[in-house]
């Protein structure tokens, strides 16, 4: 994610690392640094990272600050490419499923208003990116994530029931 210009990933909130939807689309070369055979792994890992972060924030907000300090997980937001916040999805957290949608979205150009286009224009891709097949990895990762969540809560925030947390995650899959 270090490939994303600071102007773009700090656009909405200067204190957090934000990933806008269009950063992941094939129209931009931000994922080109990841070898093609590992892009599905990246997409699935980012999906779970955002899902865990959003589940924590939504259902265990009383302990979220501790979690956030320990993990520094990125936020996945809509495109911040409109003249005003009112006409964009900037600052609106997107469901993690949209990460998996974005990585193969050949329609979204990200910047439909050409707002601050110069920030990202140099990062537009000139070549077609191969479709990323993440489906089998997503299912395989489920058990590993369950074990990671169990380990995290038992060792870092035992005041929260890992089984309750996992149940909340499963509701969002």
């Amino acid at each position: 994610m270090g490939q994303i210009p600071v102007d773009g990933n700090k656009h909405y909130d200067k204190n957090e690392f934000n990933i806008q939807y269009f950063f992941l689309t094939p129209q931009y070369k931000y994922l080109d640094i990841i070898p093609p055979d590992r892009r599905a792994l990246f997409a699935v890992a980012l999906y779970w990272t955002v899902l865990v972060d959003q589940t924590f924030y939504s259902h265990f907000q009383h302990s979220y600050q501790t979690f956030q300090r320990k993990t520094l997980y990125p936020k996945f937001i809509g495109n911040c490419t409109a003249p005003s916040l009112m006409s964009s999805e900037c600052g609106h957290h997107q469901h993690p499923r949209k990460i998996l949608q974005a990585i193969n979205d050949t329609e979204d150009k990200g910047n439909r208003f050409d707002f601050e286009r110069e920030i990202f224009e140099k990062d537009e891709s000139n070549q077609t990116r191969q479709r990323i097949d993440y489906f089998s990895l997503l299912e395989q990762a489920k058990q590993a994530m369950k074990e990671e969540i169990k380990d995290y809560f038992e060792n870092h925030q035992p005041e929260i029931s890992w089984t309750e947390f996992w149940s909340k995650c499963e509701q969002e899959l």
Side-chain angles (χ1 to χ4, degrees), residues 69-81:
R69 234 182 359 263
K70 289 178 185 240
T71 62
L72 297 175
Y73 281 175
K75 309 301 176 229
F76 179 59
I77 60 174
N79 296 338
C80 296
T81 53

Side-chain angles (χ1 to χ4, degrees), residues 25-171:
T25 66
Q27 285 73 259
Y28 291 86
K29 56 185 175 183
Y30 300 122
L31 296 187
D32 289 358
I33 193 166
I34 302 168
D37 63 330
R38 303 198 49 87
R39 289 181 188 152
L41 292 170
F42 170 80
V44 169
L46 183 60
Y47 166 85
W48 280 104
T49 300
V50 171
L51 179 71
V52 167
D53 184 69
Q54 288 183 1
T55 299
F56 208 119
Y57 183 83
S58 296
H59 299 283
F60 302 91
Q61 202 167 30
H62 62 281
S63 296
Y64 182 73
Q65 250 184 350
T66 301
F67 173 79
Q68 186 180 33
R69 234 182 359 263
K70 289 178 185 240
T71 62
L72 297 175
Y73 281 175
K75 309 301 176 229
F76 179 59
I77 60 174
N79 296 338
C80 296
T81 53
S84 74
L85 288 177
M86 296 301 286
S87 59
S88 77
E89 295 178 334
C90 189
H92 297 277
H93 293 264
Q94 303 295 299
H95 194 283
R97 277 190 295 265
K98 285 193 170 189
I99 291 167
L100 304 175
Q101 176 185 324
I103 61 167
N104 290 318
D105 186 346
T106 57
E107 301 298 317
D108 191 295
K109 303 300 182 208
N111 199 344
R112 66 181 185 263
F113 298 103
D114 276 346
F115 179 69
E116 294 184 348
R117 187 167 193 272
E118 65 279 359
I119 296 173
F120 307 105
E121 188 174 27
K122 67 183 179 359
D123 298 321
E124 291 176 354
S125 182
N126 297 328
Q127 54 191 4
T128 305
R129 183 170 80 201
Q130 190 174 23
R131 185 164 180 79
I132 299 173
D133 182 18
Y134 57 82
F135 291 105
S136 64
L137 288 172
L138 188 61
E139 189 56 37
Q140 291 172 25
K142 189 174 178 180
Q143 185 59 38
M145 285 306 302
K146 183 177 181 179
E147 292 168 17
E148 287 296 317
I149 285 169
K150 179 180 189 244
D151 180 69
Y152 174 82
F153 286 108
E154 287 181 347
N155 293 302
H156 299 283
Q157 287 189 272
E159 71 276 9
I160 295 174
S161 162
W162 78 267
T163 55
E164 183 182 351
F165 187 90
W166 178 250
S167 174
K168 300 289 186 195
C169 287
E170 283 187 304
Q171 292 171 12

